[in-house]
Amino acid sequence: MSCMSQRTNHHVLLEAGEEFYITLRALSSRWDEQASTLLSPLGLTPSSYEVLRMIKLHPRITATEMKKRQRIAGASMSMIVRSLLKHGLIQRTADTNDTRRLFITLTKEGRSCLPRAEQALQHFIVKQRLTPATLSSATSALQHLWI
C-alpha cells in the first residue's frame, strides 16, 4: 500500500471517528436531557436512577462496588449516595461479618420509586419508536467500544 493510500485511509478513519464521537456525544446529551426531565418530578437524576437500578440488581452492594461498575469517580458516587440517603430511597446496612463494610439497599420508598422511574423512561423509549432489536443492536455495537 502506498503512503498516499495509507494517509487517505487514515484520514477517512479519522473523519468517521470524529463523526461517531460527535453523534455519540449529542445522543448522550439528548438522552440525559430527556431523562432528567422525566425523572426530576420523582426527585431523581439520571445518575441517581442508574444507582437505584444497580442496587435493585445487586441488593447487597457497596458504594465502592457501585463506583467500579458505573466507572465514575468516588466523589461523584458519594454525592449520589448521600442524596439518595437524604431522600430516604436507600439505606446503609453493616455486614454482619465485617461491620466496617456497608451494604447499600433500597428502602420501601426506593422500591416504590424505581418502577415509576422505569415507566417514565419506557414511555420515552416507546415515543422514540425504538424497538428491542434496535436497542439490542446499538448496545452490542457500543459494548465493543467499552472494552
Side-chain angles (χ1 to χ4, degrees):
M1 190 182 297
S2 73
C3 288
M4 185 60 113
S5 178
Q6 286 177 342
R7 260 187 254 149
T8 302
N9 288 342
H10 177 74
H11 183 70
V12 169
L13 181 61
L14 184 60
E15 281 183 5
E18 287 174 355
E19 185 176 341
F20 176 80
Y21 174 77
I22 291 166
T23 302
L24 187 59
R25 294 284 303 205
L27 175 63
S28 178
S29 177
R30 181 166 182 257
W31 189 272
D32 279 350
E33 190 178 292
Q34 289 295 317
S36 292
T37 300
L38 294 167
L39 295 171
S40 66
L42 300 171
L44 298 176
T45 65
S47 296
S48 62
Y49 165 75
E50 290 172 18
V51 167
L52 288 178
R53 285 214 10 102
M54 186 179 304
I55 296 167
K56 177 185 174 186
L57 295 172
H58 307 280
R60 292 176 53 87
I61 194 166
T62 66
T64 301
E65 291 164 347
M66 284 192 300
K67 177 186 73 153
K68 288 178 185 173
R69 287 178 186 264
Q70 290 293 104
R71 296 182 180 183
I72 64 171
S76 297
M77 181 57 71
S78 294
M79 193 169 69
I80 294 167
V81 167
R82 278 194 307 273
S83 175
L84 292 171
L85 283 166
K86 178 182 168 187
H87 289 94
L89 299 175
I90 62 171
Q91 62 188 4
R92 289 186 176 132
T93 309
D95 183 341
T96 54
N97 298 321
D98 181 358
T99 55
R100 295 171 297 169
R101 184 177 161 121
L102 297 173
F103 293 116
I104 299 176
T105 58
L106 295 174
T107 62
K108 182 179 177 182
E109 293 82 10
R111 287 189 300 276
S112 78
C113 180
L114 195 50
R116 291 181 284 151
E118 290 168 337
Q119 186 178 26
L121 293 174
Q122 285 170 359
H123 285 300
F124 169 67
I125 291 168
V126 168
K127 254 175 75 174
Q128 301 304 309
R129 296 187 179 117
L130 298 171
T131 65
T134 302
L135 290 169
S136 179
S137 177
T139 300
S140 182
L142 290 170
Q143 285 174 337
H144 284 8
L145 300 173
W146 190 261
I147 296 172

